[in-house]
């Protein structure tokens, strides 16, 4: 297993780092074992848009894509390439302003029979998330290390401490939490993400459609008052 810690990812905060763009505008980075980039895009229903060489070129493609629309598009670009990691080849997919790695339905499909790990940020807010899926099941996810959910929310606690994340919430102010999340991802995948790797990779590019909004059919009212009296009521849409 990798011995990565937050210190190995201090480069992401350099003002000259290409990752600085991802942190500024928001990103999602997803790693899937044993599934090719073209198969990842097929599973998520993405439309191929050719290839580009290097992260600079992917950022240029992203900016050009946004310029095609007067308003924010109902899709986003993702770039993906193959990288060696624990147990074989992995696909690394990176997008800016997208949410491929945070969609439960897609991550369940991508991780069927294998492992998928993602981390993300929505930019300046910020909201940062980590997701680990195994065999189609969400095992551990969190925004804050102390607030974990999933089928095995505590399984990574030991590894989290090793990379610099405290699952009790008693965070060390000297630890870069984002860098620690990248280190945690490396521990689970064996993939060392470096500035050079992202800068020099050949990316397959595809347009990923936004997840359709499900039409609501009704609402549930569930209220318990101070005396313990509960009001529970299902209201169908046709009744409103």
């Amino acid at each position: 297993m990798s011995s990565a810690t937050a210190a190995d990812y201090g480069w992401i905060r350099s003002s000259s780092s290409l990752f600085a763009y991802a942190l500024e505008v928001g990103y999602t980075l997803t790693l899937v074992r044993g599934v090719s980039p073209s198969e990842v895009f097929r599973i998520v229903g993405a439309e191929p848009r050719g290839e580009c060489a290097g992260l600079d070129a992917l950022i240029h493609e992203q900016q050009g894509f946004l310029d095609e629309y007067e308003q924010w598009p109902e899709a986003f670009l993702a770039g993906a390439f193959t990288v060696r990691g624990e147990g074989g080849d992995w696909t690394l997919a990176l997008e800016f302003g997208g949410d491929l790695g945070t969609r439960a339905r897609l991550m369940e499909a991508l991780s069927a029979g294998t492992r998928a790990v993602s981390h993300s940020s929505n930019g300046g807010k910020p909201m940062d998330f980590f997701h680990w899926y195994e065999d189609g099941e969400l095992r551990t996810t969190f925004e804050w290390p102390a607030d974990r959910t999933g089928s095995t929310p505590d399984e990574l606690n030991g590894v989290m401490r090793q990379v610099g994340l405290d699952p009790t919430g008693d965070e060390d102010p000297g630890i870069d939490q984002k860098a620690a999340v990248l280190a945690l991802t490396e521990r689970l995948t064996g993939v060392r993400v470096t500035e050079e790797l992202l800068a020099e990779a050949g990316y397959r590019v595809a347009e990923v459609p936004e997840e359709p909004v499900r039409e609501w059919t009704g609402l549930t009212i569930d209220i318990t008052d101070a005396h313990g009296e509960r009001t529970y009521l299902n209201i169908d849409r046709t009744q409103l």
Side-chain angles (χ1 to χ4, degrees):
M1 177 183 284
S2 163
S3 59
T5 67
D8 294 305
Y9 286 92
W11 62 268
I12 66 173
R13 299 298 181 182
S14 168
S15 59
S16 62
S17 166
L18 289 171
F19 204 75
Y21 175 82
L23 293 173
E24 178 184 355
V25 304
Y27 79 94
T28 303
L29 189 153
T30 305
L31 285 157
V32 186
R33 183 175 57 200
V35 183
S36 69
S38 58
E39 181 65 5
V40 167
F41 286 149
R42 185 195 67 78
I43 291 172
V44 304
E47 179 182 347
R49 288 178 58 119
E51 301 180 4
C52 67
L55 187 55
D56 267 333
L58 180 62
I59 292 173
H60 180 76
E61 291 280 341
Q62 163 74 7
Q63 292 171 339
F65 173 73
L66 294 178
D67 288 343
E68 296 174 12
Y69 298 86
E70 292 184 0
Q71 299 180 336
W72 194 262
E74 295 183 353
F76 57 88
L77 290 190
F81 60 91
T82 301
V83 62
R84 195 71 179 171
E86 184 178 318
D89 286 340
W90 293 67
T91 286
L92 187 156
L94 177 63
E95 75 255 15
F96 306 109
D99 60 357
L100 185 156
T102 66
R103 297 184 192 176
R105 179 181 61 83
L106 295 185
M107 289 294 282
E108 288 166 2
L110 289 173
S111 64
T114 188
R115 173 176 290 183
V117 183
S118 73
H119 53 83
S120 61
S121 173
N122 67 338
K125 299 279 190 260
M127 295 173 64
D128 300 277
F129 294 96
F130 169 86
H131 304 274
W132 164 39
Y133 281 81
E134 198 85 20
D135 296 326
E137 179 181 59
L138 177 60
R139 300 289 295 276
T140 305
T141 182
F142 59 83
E143 179 180 6
W144 304 104
D147 188 20
R148 301 174 307 283
T149 57
S151 63
T152 58
D154 298 329
E155 186 168 344
L156 299 181
N157 286 8
V159 181
M160 289 173 68
R161 290 188 178 94
Q162 292 171 18
V163 301
L165 297 168
D166 191 332
T168 68
D170 187 16
E171 302 294 344
D172 182 345
I175 297 293
D176 184 330
Q177 300 296 301
K178 177 60 68 177
V181 165
L182 268 76
L184 178 61
T185 301
E186 181 178 336
R187 294 288 188 108
L188 287 168
T189 64
V191 176
R192 170 64 61 91
V193 176
T194 65
E195 185 168 16
E196 292 74 22
L197 176 69
L198 298 178
E200 299 172 6
Y203 292 83
R204 291 178 178 266
V205 183
E207 181 177 332
V208 183
E210 289 284 3
E211 194 165 25
V213 177
R214 295 181 180 178
E215 185 176 0
W216 67 281
T217 58
L219 57 85
T220 299
I221 299 173
D222 189 355
I223 302 172
T224 302
D225 65 22
H227 303 288
E229 293 294 329
R230 185 186 184 197
T231 299
Y232 185 90
L233 179 65
N234 282 314
I235 303 177
D236 187 84
R237 181 175 181 176
T238 59
Q239 298 174 273
L240 298 176

